[in-house]
Amino acid sequence: DWPSVKWVEQQLVEGKIDYFGEILSQYYGISSSDSLLFPYYALAQKYHIPVGIHTGGAGPNHGSPKFKMELGNPLLLKQTLSKFPALKVWIMHSGDQFYKETIVLMRTNKKVYSDISVISNPDIVPPSQFTIIMKAFIEAGFEDRLLFGTDNGDIKKVIASVEALEILSEPQKEKIFYRNAERFFASRK
């Protein structure tokens, strides 16, 4: 059920696709660096569009019998990033329980960003854990590469979770809420 690479490229040429995501390889039981994805990553690199990769866990009753938790580890992208060094990637959900691995990956590739969806939702991740994860990203120096997201959670609750983080200054919150995304999703360059 993969879309034709030729069709995808035509959509890119016509400006009908702005990014690839959410890549759910983990739900299909394959790695985010599986060679089946390479033709699509090649197109994303060629046309300078970002790729969003699902990482971490999954909610209950997700309906994907091939889902494998270990395939949500962001470090699996190392092979992809070595093959496609200009690829712009955002790690969705900050890696969730694999957030330390996300930090390792971000340290070695400046084109890798991370969104905070799921981890910022207090109905899924306790605020104390969200604070621990965010502190790790900030201490690693990634305030300019964190992207706001809700993953369809209650946006008011998610905004409140970010606002409640005493470890963040107002300028840092502004970056996370929108400035970093403006830069990351800017024109295809």
Side-chain angles (χ1 to χ4, degrees):
D1 295 272
W2 299 87
S4 155
V5 173
K6 184 177 178 181
W7 177 84
V8 172
E9 184 164 24
Q10 186 60 41
Q11 301 307 299
L12 288 164
V13 168
E14 293 175 13
K16 295 179 179 176
I17 295 177
D18 296 319
Y19 65 90
F20 292 166
E22 176 170 6
I23 304 296
L24 298 169
S25 52
Q26 168 185 21
Y27 283 82
Y28 294 92
I30 64 172
S31 165
S32 54
S33 279
D34 191 291
S35 61
L36 289 170
L37 296 167
F38 287 177
Y40 304 98
Y41 293 150
L43 287 177
Q45 181 172 266
K46 177 180 177 180
Y47 291 96
H48 310 285
I49 65 164
V51 177
I53 308 288
H54 178 276
T55 63
N61 305 316
H62 53 70
S64 298
K66 293 182 179 180
F67 179 88
K68 293 181 182 172
M69 182 65 78
E70 64 272 16
L71 293 176
N73 185 332
L75 287 179
L76 293 173
L77 279 165
K78 285 176 119 180
Q79 181 183 356
T80 293
L81 294 170
S82 68
K83 186 165 179 64
F84 304 100
L87 190 64
K88 286 174 59 174
V89 172
W90 90 91
I91 303 298
M92 295 179 145
H93 320 311
S94 294
D96 193 8
Q97 66 271 30
F98 298 112
Y99 72 92
K100 291 178 183 175
E101 289 84 348
T102 300
I103 290 170
V104 169
L105 190 68
M106 291 174 75
R107 280 189 179 126
T108 59
N109 193 306
K110 294 188 185 318
K111 291 189 176 278
V112 175
Y113 281 56
S114 176
D115 79 33
I116 63 169
S117 68
V118 174
I119 66 163
S120 58
N121 185 335
D123 295 331
I124 299 172
V125 175
S128 58
Q129 182 64 15
F130 177 47
T131 300
I132 289 168
I133 295 170
M134 289 299 288
K135 186 175 181 186
F137 278 101
I138 297 303
E139 287 178 352
F142 298 133
E143 71 181 59
D144 293 329
R145 290 165 49 202
L146 295 174
L147 307 169
F148 180 76
T150 65
D151 200 48
N152 295 315
D154 181 324
I155 193 165
K156 290 180 182 177
K157 285 183 179 181
V158 175
I159 290 171
S161 292
V162 176
E163 290 291 358
L165 288 172
E166 294 178 3
I167 62 167
L168 296 179
S169 66
E170 288 306 313
Q172 287 172 318
K173 291 174 186 176
E174 191 175 276
K175 288 178 184 182
I176 292 166
F177 279 132
Y178 69 94
R179 292 213 181 272
N180 294 341
E182 285 176 335
R183 191 176 59 259
F184 184 74
F185 291 103
S187 66
R188 298 178 178 184
K189 293 181 181 177

